[in-house]
Amino acid sequence: MKLKTALLGAACALSFAPAAFADRGTDGEVKFTFPQAVSIMNPFLSSGTKDVYAASLVLEPLAGFDADGVIIPKLVTEIPTLENGGISADLTTITWKLLPDLKWSDGSPVTADDAVFTAAYCMDPAGGCAQLSKFDGVAKVEAVDASTVKVTFTGPKPNPYTAFVGALSPLLQKAQFAACQGAAAPTCTDPNNMPIGTGPFKVTGFTVNDTVTLAMNENYRDPAKPAFASAVIKGGGDAEGSARAVMETGEFDYAWNTQIPPDSQASMTAAGKGEFVVAFGTLVERIEMNMTDPDPALPEGERATAKHPHPFLSDIKVRTALSKAIDRQILSDVGYGAGGKPTCNVVPAPDAWASDNTGCIAQDMEGAKKLLDEAGWVPGADGIREKDGKKLHILYQSTVNPIRQDFQALVKDWWTELGVDVELKAIDPSVFFGGDAGSPDTFQKFYADVEMYANNSDGTDPETYLSQYQCKNAPSPENQWQGENMNRYCDPAYDAKVKVLSTTVDVAERQKIAKELNDMVTKDTMTVIPLVHRGTLSAHSNTLGGVKINAWDSEMWNVADWFRVK
């Protein structure tokens, strides 16, 4: 295939959103409700979608993705390509040109030095950057001049749209974060909670795991936007409560992540105050296997680290048995109806990138029991399997959410039938996804045997997403428990294949390698047990205009274009 095809057709991506139907600041306040409260406004220190999306109202990347997954410019004049000279012929560099007169919300100029600083901030090994995979293969970032950012890769980079692209990789203001590099990163409370950005809003108040208040950014690059003078994000509660606050009571304008059953969606829609919006991208509800031992008897700092392999989940027969016992079709029907479908992949879309891995769909209880027999786990007098005098006990954690609790109950029933003693734990999602290095209940720290949540990649090329499972990305005390490889999966062959993907030009070959990587962490090892390919479901008021649901970037990707319907 031609190289320009491999570069995602970026040359034709210069599309712009329509203007809002109001002058700047004339539409009052827009109110968001998040069932998972915001814990931090710095996406480099959180893997929680709630934090990334909230921060996207304030912090922006050089480029992002539109609702169709097409790359679009944000803080730059155009998307660099081979054709326009922005990408070098040998694919080792990409050069971005900042928009002229671009300003931070405090009125100071945005310069290439801010990008250089942001890269150094995330790439500092002591900083625990949650989005480190965005900078995989980056050798250096330099300021050619005040408005020109040049990224040099360690070798040819067929997909150079990683660093500074998408809501996961925004620019930080060097002046604000200068004293926050390395181990100091999580200690900088004010910058982390009230960052200075280039987005349509700026933070005016922040209460951890509760409320974020924002005002329009008077220095936003489009003088007609945003239409709203202020915004508020109220967090906490649950998905059903958030949905009702938009769809029935009208207290809020936008409810993110309305993960509620289909019958509840139908009854709320009947109230006539709003609508649910859905988009299918790569979001997958999954069960993650802990490859390390979370035993609380272990010393703090060694618990759930590579120093101690998991006592029974290190056995692929046990992991496979747990997967075989699950009926994914029932989970999909109960939880999502038409808004979900069973899957065996961590990369379920786009179709050209998705493996034909379907072997997990049909439940196989007898096959699961046989595998546990072979692994030496035999039923005891109470029906619970045991080996070497120890019971097969699993601590299964997830977030507080009615669908997830339904899933936990169903999976517990299947695993109990298998002969497993299952203990369920439900954690407040604001804590679970919060990234607090001091909390024992974050999904990064993973002080459980298995955990369930949903995750997805941004953009249509999954290279960055799949690179998260490299050995170096495992959360640990050394990186502030901020790594992206929650399972602590480590296979040198996987790491080597990621490097091959990062330098492969041909699109068909890239897709083949991506499928192989997907299979390595799913059907080949059962490190990840995908359950349901979910649609991204949220709700907005009928009085809120301009909303375009986006499964490839932040749902708030075009918030500058939102307006109040008169």
Side-chain angles (χ1 to χ4, degrees):
M1 280 189 185
K2 294 183 178 179
L3 186 58
K4 63 181 180 182
T5 304
L7 294 174
L8 312 180
C12 58
L14 305 182
S15 57
F16 298 91
F21 295 97
D23 293 327
R24 173 183 283 178
T26 60
D27 275 350
E29 185 170 66
V30 58
K31 298 180 178 180
F32 297 86
T33 170
F34 282 21
Q36 301 169 11
V38 180
S39 301
I40 194 169
M41 290 289 285
N42 180 357
F44 290 117
L45 296 184
S46 176
S47 297
T49 303
K50 63 191 177 66
D51 300 328
V52 174
Y53 282 11
S56 73
L57 301 176
V58 177
L59 298 172
E60 298 180 297
L62 299 182
F65 300 96
D66 69 11
D68 296 317
V70 176
I71 191 170
I72 56 172
K74 281 187 172 280
L75 305 182
V76 292
T77 57
E78 62 181 352
I79 299 299
T81 64
L82 279 169
E83 289 81 0
N84 63 27
I87 296 173
S88 62
D90 63 2
L91 306 182
T92 60
T93 68
I94 183 170
T95 303
W96 303 87
K97 295 289 292 184
L98 295 174
L99 290 167
D101 302 318
L102 191 62
K103 291 182 173 60
W104 294 103
S105 60
D106 65 359
S108 62
V110 178
T111 73
D113 284 340
D114 293 304
V116 174
F117 170 80
T118 300
Y121 174 91
C122 187
M123 294 172 71
D124 190 314
C129 181
Q131 316 303 343
L132 186 59
S133 60
K134 280 286 190 177
F135 292 86
D136 260 7
V138 173
K140 62 179 177 178
V141 177
E142 56 190 318
V144 177
D145 55 45
S147 62
T148 308
V149 180
K150 183 178 181 181
V151 180
T152 300
F153 301 102
T154 54
K157 188 79 168 176
N159 175 26
Y161 308 120
T162 54
F164 311 121
V165 179
L168 296 174
S169 187
L171 250 57
L172 297 179
Q173 187 192 60
K174 177 181 178 180
Q176 185 183 31
F177 283 85
C180 303
Q181 285 185 266
T187 70
C188 292
T189 302
D190 287 344
N192 289 334
N193 291 346
M194 302 185 72
I196 295 167
T198 59
F201 293 98
K202 59 184 180 181
V203 185
T204 56
F206 184 88
T207 303
V208 176
N209 293 336
D210 190 352
T211 305
V212 185
T213 58
L214 307 104
M216 67 178 186
N217 173 10
E218 301 93 335
N219 291 301
Y220 187 61
R221 57 190 173 275
D222 188 329
K225 301 175 184 179
F228 290 100
S230 61
V232 62
I233 304 172
K234 178 62 177 166
D238 55 42
E240 185 165 346
S242 288
R244 290 191 187 284
V246 170
M247 301 293 290
E248 293 185 345
T249 69
E251 298 171 75
F252 288 85
D253 298 301
Y254 194 93
W256 164 71
N257 193 26
T258 50
Q259 189 182 353
I260 59 175
D263 56 344
S264 296
Q265 296 173 35
S267 64
M268 291 185 194
T269 301
K273 292 183 180 293
E275 66 173 303
F276 287 99
V277 285
V278 63
F280 275 93
T282 60
L283 188 65
V284 172
E285 191 78 20
R286 81 281 301 278
I287 292 175
E288 304 274 0
M289 299 286 176
N290 195 341
M291 304 301 286
T292 60
D293 192 350
D295 189 343
L298 291 170
E300 196 63 30
E302 293 187 17
R303 181 184 181 190
T305 69
K307 292 181 180 179
H308 301 280
H310 197 282
F312 57 85
L313 289 179
S314 297
D315 186 340
I316 188 173
K317 289 185 177 180
V318 175
R319 301 195 302 271
T320 305
L322 294 173
S323 177
K324 283 180 173 291
I326 296 172
D327 190 324
R328 289 162 174 79
Q329 188 63 60
I330 287 179
L331 294 180
S332 183
D333 292 344
V334 167
Y336 302 101
K341 50 191 174 183
T343 186
C344 302
N345 293 321
V346 292
V347 179
D351 288 344
W353 295 85
S355 170
D356 60 359
N357 175 18
T358 59
C360 78
I361 302 297
Q363 184 186 45
D364 181 8
M365 189 63 72
E366 293 308 310
K369 291 177 180 178
K370 182 180 179 182
L371 281 173
L372 289 184
D373 290 340
E374 293 174 359
W377 291 94
V378 297
D382 57 358
I384 302 301
R385 292 177 181 265
E386 53 188 47
K387 181 180 181 180
D388 299 329
K390 292 188 176 181
K391 297 284 188 181
L392 186 53
H393 174 85
I394 286 179
L395 176 58
Y396 174 11
Q397 70 181 20
S398 188
T399 64
V400 175
N401 175 283
I403 293 179
R404 290 205 170 115
Q405 269 66 78
D406 286 345
F407 277 27
Q408 281 186 304
L410 286 165
V411 173
K412 179 177 180 177
D413 284 345
W414 293 321
W415 286 355
T416 299
E417 181 182 346
L418 196 57
V420 181
D421 180 35
V422 183
E423 177 186 353
L424 300 181
K425 182 176 181 179
I427 301 169
D428 184 301
S430 302
V431 175
F432 187 78
F433 294 117
D436 180 359
S439 171
D441 289 327
T442 65
F443 73 138
Q444 297 101 326
K445 192 161 279 188
F446 204 169
Y447 280 180
D449 299 300
V450 302
E451 63 185 9
M452 180 176 66
Y453 59 91
N455 204 351
N456 64 299
S457 62
D458 61 354
T460 56
D461 187 308
E463 176 190 329
T464 300
Y465 186 55
L466 289 166
S467 70
Q468 294 177 359
Y469 293 101
Q470 294 177 92
C471 301
K472 66 180 182 180
N473 291 330
S476 69
E478 290 72 30
N479 61 19
Q480 315 285 340
W481 296 102
Q482 287 294 339
E484 306 151 289
N485 178 0
M486 308 308 173
N487 315 80
R488 288 65 155 154
Y489 170 81
C490 186
D491 182 351
Y494 187 93
D495 289 10
K497 197 175 286 288
V498 167
K499 290 182 180 179
V500 173
L501 175 63
S502 71
T503 58
T504 298
V505 174
D506 182 76
V507 173
E509 185 63 21
R510 288 179 64 78
Q511 291 167 348
K512 175 177 175 290
I513 296 169
K515 293 173 185 177
E516 291 170 350
L517 288 168
N518 171 92
D519 291 351
M520 288 177 76
V521 294
T522 56
K523 71 177 182 180
D524 294 348
T525 67
M526 294 298 176
T527 303
V528 184
I529 300 180
L531 302 173
V532 180
H533 179 197
R534 286 173 44 192
T536 298
L537 183 71
S538 293
H540 70 83
S541 165
N542 290 335
T543 69
L544 186 62
V547 175
K548 293 184 179 179
I549 190 76
N550 188 341
W552 305 108
D553 206 329
S554 168
E555 281 188 28
M556 291 83 204
W557 69 288
N558 72 330
V559 69
D561 300 317
W562 293 9
F563 58 92
R564 183 68 65 198
V565 176
K566 302 299 189 292

